[in-house]
Amino acid sequence: MDNWDEIRTAFQVAKLGTVSGAAGELGVHHATVIRHIDSLEARLGVKLFQRHARGYTPTEAGHDLLKVAQTTDDQFNHLVSRIKGRGEGVTGELVVTSLPGMAALLAPVLAEFQAEHDGLIVRYLTGERVFRLEYGEAHVAIRAGKPPVEPDNVVQPFYEQDIALYVHQSYADRYGLPAEDRLLDELRFVGHDDPANRAPFQVWMNANIAAHNIVFRTSDNDATMMAVLTGAGAGFLPVWFAKERSDLIEVMPARAEWTSPSWLVTHVDLHRTPKVQSFLTYLKDRSKGWACVAR
C-alpha cells in the first residue's frame, strides 16, 4: 500500500461516520474525502463502507483495514510522545507510572519537581497495566516484583517497601488481642480477594492463615488500608504509613519475606535525556527520606 493519505481518510470516516466530519478533521474538501475512499476501494477491489442517508458504516473488510489503521495511529502518537521526550530541557510532559500503592510517596515528589520547573507538565498514571515504554507511553515506570525483562529498557533497583501486620485500635477494643502464639489462629484478617495475587505478604497469608479467618477481602491496596483503619481486621500495611498513625497497633513486625522490591524502568532512547535524568536524580535523592530504600 503506497498511499497512506487514503487510509488516514478512511480511518477518519470510520471514526466520525460522515464525510463532512472527516473533511473537517483532516482540513480538506469533502470531495477529497470521497475521492480517497473511492480510490482506496478500487485499489483493494472491495467495498469498505456501506453508504446510507446517515453517513458511512464500515463493512467487514472495512473493519479489518481500520483495525490496522488504529494500531498505526496509536503507534504514531506514541512515537510523537517519544520524540517530544528527547528535548534538551526539563519542559513539556513528564509521564510517570506506578502501582497505586506508591502514590502517597510519589505524588509529593512529583509535585515538588514540577514546582521547580515551570515549563513542565506532570502526568502521573497509576494502575495495574504495564505501560509500554517502547511506544512512548511513559518516560519513567516504577514497577514492583521481579526485575522487568523487556528489551531496550534500562532497569535500576529502587525502593523496598517494608510491610508489617497491623490492627486498628478499634479492633483491639472490640475483640482484644490474642496471645502471641495464638495470633494466626484467632485474629480476623483483611486480605486480597484474588487468591492468585502474587504480593509476597498475600502469598504468605494464603499459606499460613485459614481461609475462614480472612473475613474481609478486597480487590486493591487502598481498600485494604481503609478496611484495616475501620477495624475490620488485621492487615498488611507499609511501615512508613503506619508510623504516621498513633491508632495502629503492630502485631507482627516487618519481615523480609513480605517485602517486594521495586525498579526504576526507562527506555534506552529516553534514559539519557535531560528531563529523565533530572527527574531520576531528584527522585533518588528524595527517596532517601523514606522508611527504606534500595539496598
Side-chain angles (χ1 to χ4, degrees):
M1 181 58 61
D2 58 4
N3 195 332
W4 288 103
D5 284 343
E6 293 175 357
I7 295 179
R8 184 178 62 162
T9 299
F11 179 51
Q12 291 299 330
V13 171
K15 282 176 59 178
L16 302 173
T18 65
V19 168
S20 59
E25 182 69 21
L26 296 169
V28 299
H29 194 274
H30 73 275
T32 301
V33 174
I34 295 172
R35 185 172 65 254
H36 282 181
I37 296 298
D38 291 344
S39 175
L40 185 58
E41 289 181 332
R43 191 189 304 269
L44 296 173
V46 296
K47 286 291 184 183
L48 298 174
F49 295 95
Q50 294 289 341
R51 282 78 164 169
H52 51 77
R54 294 185 303 277
Y56 281 42
T57 301
T59 63
E60 184 176 355
H63 280 297
D64 288 342
L65 177 68
L66 295 167
K67 286 178 183 177
V68 176
Q70 177 69 69
T71 300
T72 302
D73 186 67
D74 290 344
Q75 291 181 346
F76 179 75
N77 288 333
H78 294 153
L79 175 62
V80 170
S81 178
R82 284 173 57 184
I83 291 171
K84 288 181 177 178
R86 294 180 180 143
E88 293 303 314
V90 185
T91 59
E93 286 190 348
L94 173 68
V95 185
V96 178
T97 77
S98 79
L99 291 171
M102 296 196 72
L105 292 172
L106 288 171
V109 176
L110 284 162
E112 292 163 8
F113 184 70
Q114 192 280 328
E116 293 188 9
H117 302 280
D118 289 339
L120 186 69
I121 296 173
V122 168
R123 294 178 60 211
Y124 177 37
L125 310 177
T126 64
E128 300 291 334
R129 181 169 79 85
V130 176
F131 288 80
R132 300 185 67 177
L133 303 187
E134 69 272 23
Y135 284 163
E137 290 188 333
H139 297 97
V140 179
I142 295 95
R143 297 179 183 168
K146 296 180 179 179
V149 295
E150 296 92 345
D152 297 328
N153 281 348
V154 179
V155 179
Q156 303 175 72
F158 179 47
Y159 170 72
E160 294 187 355
Q161 183 166 255
D162 284 340
I163 301 291
L165 186 68
Y166 298 91
V167 296
H168 191 263
Q169 183 64 52
S170 61
Y171 176 95
D173 293 342
R174 184 180 302 119
Y175 299 107
L177 294 178
E180 185 175 350
D181 61 347
R182 300 296 301 165
L183 281 175
L184 302 188
D185 296 321
E186 297 181 10
L187 277 177
R188 300 158 64 91
F189 284 85
V190 176
H192 203 284
D193 191 55
D194 180 5
N197 183 273
R198 302 310 298 169
F201 54 83
Q202 186 62 45
V203 173
W204 181 91
M205 180 182 285
N206 292 341
N208 291 277
I209 306 301
H212 65 268
N213 282 351
I214 306 175
V215 300
F216 195 109
R217 301 173 185 268
T218 76
S219 60
D220 65 57
N221 292 335
D222 287 342
T224 295
M225 189 176 296
M226 292 307 300
V228 174
L229 291 178
T230 53
F236 290 100
L237 300 175
V239 171
W240 64 264
F241 173 80
K243 284 183 175 179
E244 298 177 356
R245 302 282 308 225
S246 61
D247 52 354
L248 286 172
I249 302 169
E250 182 184 271
V251 292
M252 293 183 71
R255 296 184 179 184
E257 63 187 306
W258 297 341
T259 299
S260 178
S262 65
W263 311 88
L264 289 173
V265 188
T266 54
H267 192 269
V268 66
D269 287 349
L270 300 180
H271 178 70
R272 292 295 179 190
T273 60
K275 178 163 55 181
V276 170
Q277 283 297 305
S278 179
F279 174 67
L280 290 177
T281 299
Y282 189 88
L283 176 60
K284 290 174 184 178
D285 182 66
R286 290 285 281 103
S287 70
K288 292 175 184 177
W290 297 351
C292 185
V293 296
R295 296 159 171 82

